[in-house]
Amino acid sequence: ISTKQKLTIGWSGSYSTGPYLKIIEDAIQFSVSQFNVNLLVIGAKEKYIKCVDHELIPWSAETEVEDLKKIDIGLYPLPDEEWVNGKSGLKAIQFMALGIPVVASALGVNYRVIDHDVNGFLAKNKNEWINFIKILCHNHSKRETMGNNAREKVIKNFSFDANKKKYLKVFDY
């Protein structure tokens, strides 16, 4: 968890999920202007947040972990639509596995992946997105605690070791 002066809020996804950034565009714009943060976007094909200068880098399997480690606060916005009910929460889990606290849409599987105010935040509206980003920007200790809690949750619930018996049981008739 970084103690650097200017933190990085970040998002990782694909060309098809890049437009999800528009869901929190106002919160991102406000956060960048008021909380002295950089925005890093990994994997989108274009800059969806038009009024904010930010870094856009392509997704690469070879550099994915190192790229994610540049982020101090993960962002995981999702649209409120049926498609979201089938999502796995992978992006939140990836941030959390690296000890990065995440602010995510309060939707779908995120309620199972993220324990609100323990290992991340679940935001329901623009004001909550802004407030949760602000809390994490201004409180290094909270960021560090949430990041550690996030990593522990991933190890305990989503890691290979935590799930290998479940997978092996499928083959055990």
Side-chain angles (χ1 to χ4, degrees):
I1 301 293
S2 177
T3 57
K4 62 188 177 194
Q5 286 294 80
K6 194 159 190 172
L7 299 175
T8 298
I9 58 174
W11 175 92
S12 177
S14 67
Y15 67 92
S16 65
T17 58
Y20 295 175
L21 284 165
K22 300 289 284 174
I23 297 166
I24 59 169
E25 181 173 22
D26 291 342
I28 290 173
Q29 289 174 344
F30 185 86
S31 298
V32 168
S33 70
Q34 298 297 309
F35 307 143
N36 192 35
V37 296
N38 294 313
L39 173 64
L40 174 62
V41 174
I42 302 167
K45 295 287 186 200
E46 63 182 87
K47 289 190 173 189
Y48 291 98
I49 309 300
K50 301 294 185 197
C51 297
V52 172
D53 185 31
H54 61 283
E55 187 178 1
L56 177 67
I57 59 176
W59 180 87
S60 162
E62 293 79 26
T63 63
E64 181 177 27
V65 172
E66 288 308 310
D67 291 340
L68 288 171
K69 284 181 177 180
K70 297 174 186 173
I71 296 170
D72 298 296
I73 300 165
L75 305 175
Y76 188 44
L78 293 170
D80 189 2
E81 58 190 32
E82 195 168 331
W83 168 253
V84 169
N85 293 328
K87 294 194 71 70
S88 67
L90 175 63
K91 293 303 174 185
I93 292 168
Q94 285 181 305
F95 286 129
M96 294 168 67
L98 293 170
I100 300 167
V102 63
V103 181
S105 294
L107 295 169
V109 74
N110 288 347
Y111 281 103
R112 187 171 69 84
V113 173
I114 298 165
D115 302 309
H116 182 73
D117 201 21
V118 174
N119 52 36
F121 286 114
L122 295 166
K124 296 178 181 145
N125 56 51
K126 173 183 134 182
N127 289 337
E128 287 188 357
W129 277 95
I130 291 169
N131 186 50
F132 298 148
I133 293 168
K134 178 182 179 181
I135 289 168
L136 291 170
C137 285
H138 293 322
N139 190 333
H140 170 76
S141 177
K142 177 83 166 175
R143 222 173 37 253
E144 185 173 38
T145 298
M146 282 185 130
N148 290 335
N149 291 343
R151 180 155 171 72
E152 287 176 22
K153 171 125 187 201
V154 170
I155 290 168
K156 182 178 177 186
N157 295 284
F158 303 108
S159 69
F160 173 78
D161 285 340
N163 289 284
K164 67 183 171 187
K165 288 181 183 176
K166 294 175 192 173
Y167 285 112
L168 291 173
K169 190 172 179 144
V170 170
F171 299 103
D172 212 14
Y173 292 103

